[in-house]
Amino acid sequence: MSLRLHPKVHIQKLTIGRENAPLLVLDNCIEDPERMVERAVSKSFVDGGRFYPGIRARAPLQYKQFLLEQLSGLLVDYFQLGGMRLSLSMCHYSMVTKPAQQLEWIQRIPHIDTVQSTSLASIHYLFREPHGGTAFYRHRSTGYEVVNEGRRQDYFSTLQKEAADPKFTGGGYINGDTPFFEQVHAEEGLFNRMLIYRSNSLHSGSIGEDFVPDTDPRSGRLSINSFIDAK
């Protein structure tokens, strides 16, 4: 199985928020995305760990090759990674399966994946039902939309103090503004849409109150999530 960009892929090059963080949106991303869904059906998913509210399974090698071989030029150019070599530190099928009332507090707020500005994250939506998309946020008290190495200590020490407030997290998945975070941009989860952004942008899945967890890859909130590192 080989993967190729769809001949009618539509690419948007966006900058979001006050800090003008770069965001790529690829609609109609790959040819025959249904094959990737069917491959997921045969996978054995496992718990995604403390930070991810669901289950995961490794994506096919061909998908990793697709990211590094067919998207590398676009990524190097748009995210200003000239002279660096791209590699993948994670590439998994992911399914959000945890009921809202069972979330840990860290799963109820926006997050970053790393403070490194040369690390990218991608999410490729492979569901057709209205299971929500991805949103980006500003931390109200610091004003940060991006948390880099220089901001790490200030941000996380502030976050720790705020976490003592009973209003810090809501009752379920974050999906819009809160007293502590302001949503600055959101992208709908559309079948065969891919988002690529810097891993240090504050972000979260935007999942509504009516979300019903489903472990079937054909009907659940299936995506492929990847971390792309440049060194």
Side-chain angles (χ1 to χ4, degrees):
M1 178 184 73
S2 62
L3 294 174
R4 294 181 296 180
L5 275 173
H6 196 285
K8 295 184 179 180
V9 62
H10 179 255
I11 300 174
Q12 299 179 69
K13 298 178 179 180
L14 308 178
T15 54
I16 60 174
R18 294 175 185 165
E19 299 196 308
N20 295 316
L23 169 66
L24 287 174
V25 182
L26 286 71
D27 284 308
N28 209 24
C29 183
I30 63 172
E31 290 185 327
D32 198 9
E34 288 82 4
R35 283 194 303 167
M36 295 304 297
V37 177
E38 291 306 312
R39 287 290 294 269
V41 172
S42 64
K43 293 283 186 176
S44 296
F45 284 75
V46 299
D47 183 83
R50 181 189 175 199
F51 298 104
Y52 184 73
I55 54 179
R56 283 180 163 156
R58 290 195 178 187
L61 175 61
Q62 294 89 342
Y63 189 88
K64 301 176 185 179
Q65 293 171 334
F66 162 76
L67 288 177
L68 295 177
E69 294 173 7
Q70 298 201 34
L71 295 184
S72 61
L74 175 65
L75 301 183
V76 168
D77 176 63
Y78 192 61
F79 292 98
Q80 301 179 2
L81 303 173
M84 298 183 181
R85 182 177 179 180
L86 303 185
S87 62
L88 292 173
S89 56
M90 187 197 79
C91 188
H92 289 163
Y93 281 113
S94 303
M95 295 186 69
V96 174
T97 57
K98 184 173 283 192
Q101 64 272 20
Q102 295 180 15
L103 294 174
E104 296 191 39
W105 74 269
I106 197 68
Q107 297 169 338
R108 300 175 190 263
I109 63 171
H111 65 279
I112 61 168
D113 303 309
T114 177
V115 295
Q116 303 301 322
S117 296
T118 56
S119 293
L120 309 178
S122 71
I123 179 168
H124 188 178
Y125 305 116
L126 292 173
F127 53 84
R128 295 185 183 277
E129 299 298 321
H131 290 319
T134 301
F136 298 84
Y137 288 86
R138 176 183 305 116
H139 183 230
R140 293 184 187 274
S141 62
T142 61
Y144 298 157
E145 299 167 2
V146 172
V147 182
N148 56 27
E149 182 66 50
R151 295 175 171 181
R152 180 212 297 256
Q153 184 173 351
D154 180 38
Y155 175 71
F156 285 107
S157 63
T158 303
L159 204 66
Q160 188 173 19
K161 295 174 185 176
E162 292 176 339
D165 190 318
K167 298 179 182 179
F168 183 65
T169 61
Y173 288 97
I174 186 171
N175 188 25
D177 293 347
T178 77
F180 295 89
F181 293 93
E182 177 185 358
Q183 187 180 104
V184 299
H185 187 82
E187 291 290 340
E188 186 179 355
L190 300 179
F191 185 69
N192 204 20
R193 165 178 281 183
M194 180 187 289
L195 309 181
I196 308 173
Y197 46 90
R198 287 192 179 132
S199 301
N200 61 4
S201 288
L202 283 166
H203 63 280
S204 180
S206 49
I207 299 175
E209 294 180 357
D210 58 349
F211 174 71
V212 178
D214 183 350
T215 59
D216 184 345
R218 294 190 180 101
S219 54
R221 195 181 192 277
L222 176 69
S223 64
I224 299 180
N225 296 66
S226 306
F227 292 155
I228 307 165
D229 298 322
K231 296 180 181 179

